[in-house]
Amino acid sequence: MFENLSERLERSFKILKGEGKITEINIAEAMKDIRRALLDADVSYKIAKQFCDDVKQKALGMNVLTAVKPQQMIVKIVHDELAALMGSDASEINLKGQPAVVLVAGLNGSGKTTFSGKLALNVKSRKGMKVMLAACDTFRPAAIDQLKVLGEQVGVPVFTIEGEKDPITIAKAAIAKAKAENYSVVIIDTAGRLAVDQELMDEISALHQAVTPSETLFVVDAMTGQDAVLTAKAFNDRLDFDGVVLTKMDGDTRGGAALSIKTVTGKPIKFISAGEKMEALDVFHPTRIADRILGMGDVVSLVEKAQEQFDEKQARELKKKLAKDQFTLQDFYDQIQQVKKMGDIKDLAAMLPGVGKAIKDVDIDNDKAFKSTEAIILSMTPKEREHPEIINGSRRKRIADGSGTTLADVNKLLKQFEGTRKAMKAVMGGGMRNMMMRGMGGFRR
């Protein structure tokens, strides 16, 4: 996400490259280019102009240290202003109440139902809370069935009343059941609606008033740009929602919605969703997004993703194995499965400073990236995985035939495994995160 904006801003900063100091002339030229970059990203003219005026004012009013070049200073100011534009700090979802009620609203096709499932998994796995989904979209055919499928995937029950068309009745019954059975959170999935559809807007307003949710989230498709911002404002005027969720951030999005919604609605972006996997939901951190836009990576989010997948018990057991030089191909295979759970490999790599631009045009398929490695390991016997030293020439030939690969592929994997084992042993004092990153270097495409 934000690839085009990142490239345009990088070009804008080059205007100041080699300049000895900030002047009215060179800063005006740079700001003109940055304003164009923001407009191309579908940020409104008013917001883009105000942003550039603020950056210019701060740049001209700042005493430049001799050790800091004008280009570096502008990058720092733009970074801070981008973060401020998006809200500066991450906003927590409010889950207070017995049970807490989360009302999910938005347009047709914005991804409300999928988000409801993702949020249920997020709250269940990260906060350890008992969650129920309430199917209150009684307009869209198969909406209830879709929610049931998602609920089954994430291990969360879905409440519905067969044949009932009134969402308020369903929502109230779901909350009553949740209270009786000690559920901590009820997530209400509602029907998509247009802001101009008076009847449906009246319905969501009535539902909001009837269930008095602790949190109301507006879900919007990030690819719709300024239309998303205007729609969010119209909904906020009726619902006074608590926060925004931007979905489809992995699509061809220019970033205008993320940069504008906070200013227009006064409400924070709380979550961003990128990808179809149910784990693909992240808390929105304005400062980290500003880092990504300016090519600085997002190492903190990468570490957090690693921590979610690698528990302390696994880390201790693996550390003991490494200390005794007992790291096996089965362990290597298990590590690959953990890395895959973290998300798209290209997205993860882009969180490393300077890597995003380098891999922009590289096509990395998660499944294909590890396919050969997994096939080779799974073609081995349990004994061979535990004791790779016994894999002689004839065994390698058998493994290659069984995995649909070549003898050269098997030899290469075994060589990579040995290198990975040595590297992981060398850095085992650095903890699980370092081991995970080293382990990623062992996969082959």
Side-chain angles (χ1 to χ4, degrees):
M1 53 186 171
F2 303 112
E3 285 180 354
N4 293 333
L5 177 59
S6 298
E7 289 180 359
R8 286 297 307 274
L9 288 177
E10 185 179 355
R11 293 210 306 267
S12 301
F13 296 142
K14 286 180 180 177
I15 293 173
L16 295 171
K17 190 173 184 179
E19 296 285 350
K21 63 179 182 178
I22 295 290
T23 66
E24 284 275 3
I25 295 175
N26 59 31
I27 190 64
E29 186 180 356
M31 288 305 102
K32 184 178 180 181
D33 208 58
I34 288 176
R35 185 167 64 247
R36 285 180 184 147
L38 293 171
L39 292 174
D40 286 345
D42 210 13
V43 175
S44 72
Y45 178 80
K46 182 179 178 181
I47 293 175
K49 184 180 183 301
Q50 185 62 55
F51 176 89
C52 291
D53 288 346
D54 291 343
V55 172
K56 180 180 178 180
Q57 184 178 1
K58 290 190 177 182
L60 290 173
M62 185 177 288
N63 293 321
V64 184
L65 300 173
T66 55
V68 180
K69 297 178 181 178
Q71 183 186 18
Q72 296 170 330
M73 185 184 73
I74 289 298
V75 171
K76 173 66 168 63
I77 296 173
V78 169
H79 172 274
D80 292 345
E81 289 299 306
L82 281 173
L85 191 65
M86 294 182 285
S88 296
D89 300 313
S91 298
E92 283 285 327
I93 184 173
N94 179 13
L95 296 177
K96 295 178 180 178
Q98 294 296 330
V101 177
V102 180
L103 183 66
V104 179
L107 294 177
N108 296 303
S110 60
K112 295 181 306 305
T113 301
T114 301
F115 165 70
S116 296
K118 289 181 177 181
L119 181 62
L121 176 61
N122 184 286
V123 172
K124 173 189 171 186
S125 60
R126 296 187 185 181
K127 298 183 181 295
M129 302 176 83
K130 191 177 179 183
V131 187
M132 174 188 291
L133 286 161
C136 294
D137 181 352
T138 58
F139 282 87
R140 181 168 63 90
I144 295 174
D145 290 337
Q146 181 189 355
L147 193 65
K148 285 181 178 178
V149 170
L150 294 175
E152 189 174 340
Q153 285 181 21
V154 301
V156 170
V158 175
F159 180 87
T160 185
I161 301 176
E162 194 70 34
E164 179 58 62
K165 295 296 182 181
D166 179 21
I168 294 178
T169 300
I170 299 171
K172 285 186 172 181
I175 295 169
K177 182 178 176 65
K179 188 176 292 187
E181 299 182 8
N182 295 317
Y183 279 85
S184 304
V185 182
V186 177
I187 299 172
I188 301 175
D189 177 39
T190 66
R193 62 203 74 226
L194 297 173
V196 295
D197 190 321
Q198 191 62 42
E199 183 181 348
L200 286 177
M201 289 303 291
D202 287 343
E203 180 195 85
I204 192 70
S205 296
L207 178 59
H208 183 269
Q209 186 174 358
V211 301
T212 57
S214 52
E215 186 82 1
T216 302
L217 297 174
F218 176 71
V219 181
V220 64
D221 182 344
M223 292 192 290
T224 56
Q226 276 305 299
D227 287 341
V229 178
L230 296 174
T231 303
K233 185 179 185 307
F235 266 77
N236 190 51
D237 290 343
R238 288 296 301 270
L239 285 183
D240 190 24
F241 54 68
D242 300 293
V244 178
V245 179
L246 289 180
T247 61
K248 305 178 186 178
M249 290 294 288
D250 53 330
D252 184 22
T253 174
R254 290 177 286 175
L259 294 171
S260 306
I261 279 183
K262 176 65 168 65
T263 300
V264 174
T265 67
K267 300 299 173 62
I269 300 171
K270 296 205 172 186
F271 294 98
I272 51 175
S273 173
E276 296 179 2
K277 292 186 177 180
M278 299 310 291
E279 295 83 5
L281 182 69
D282 295 305
V283 172
F284 185 80
H285 292 271
T287 301
R288 299 184 194 177
I289 295 297
D291 287 343
R292 293 194 204 183
I293 291 173
L294 297 180
M296 299 174 184
D298 187 0
V299 177
V300 176
S301 292
L302 182 61
V303 170
E304 287 178 351
K305 285 180 178 290
Q307 288 175 325
E308 288 169 13
Q309 298 302 328
F310 296 94
D311 61 44
E312 292 184 13
K313 183 179 179 181
Q314 287 178 314
R316 285 195 298 269
E317 291 176 352
L318 189 55
K319 191 172 182 178
K320 288 178 183 177
K321 282 194 168 190
L322 289 167
K324 297 178 181 179
D325 200 22
Q326 294 177 345
F327 182 68
T328 69
L329 279 161
Q330 183 60 51
D331 296 320
F332 186 57
Y333 177 85
D334 292 340
Q335 294 304 300
I336 289 175
Q337 305 314 305
Q338 298 283 22
V339 171
K340 285 172 67 176
K341 289 180 182 178
M342 287 173 59
D344 184 83
I345 297 299
K346 187 173 181 179
D347 289 342
L348 294 175
M351 291 182 184
L352 298 171
V355 176
K357 184 178 178 181
I359 65 169
K360 177 187 174 186
D361 298 320
V362 178
D363 185 22
I364 302 176
D365 185 299
N366 259 29
D367 294 327
K368 290 181 180 178
F370 296 107
K371 191 173 181 180
S372 295
T373 297
E374 292 172 316
I376 291 171
I377 295 176
L378 292 175
S379 293
M380 299 175 183
T381 65
K383 187 175 181 180
E384 288 169 342
R385 291 180 213 165
E386 295 297 322
H387 303 281
E389 66 276 3
I390 69 171
I391 304 178
N392 55 23
S394 61
R395 287 176 184 266
R396 293 181 187 216
K397 179 67 168 61
R398 190 204 79 243
I399 292 168
D401 292 341
S403 60
T405 59
T406 66
L407 186 59
D409 290 332
V410 176
N411 290 335
K412 185 177 181 180
L413 172 61
L414 291 174
K415 185 176 180 180
Q416 288 175 331
F417 167 70
E418 281 304 318
T420 300
R421 178 158 66 174
K422 290 176 182 177
M424 292 178 77
K425 183 180 179 182
V427 300
M428 66 178 183
M432 200 64 195
R433 295 189 296 275
N434 286 344
M435 289 187 266
M436 178 277 299
M437 293 307 300
R438 296 280 183 148
M440 281 181 67
F443 79 80
R444 49 183 310 284
R445 285 193 282 158

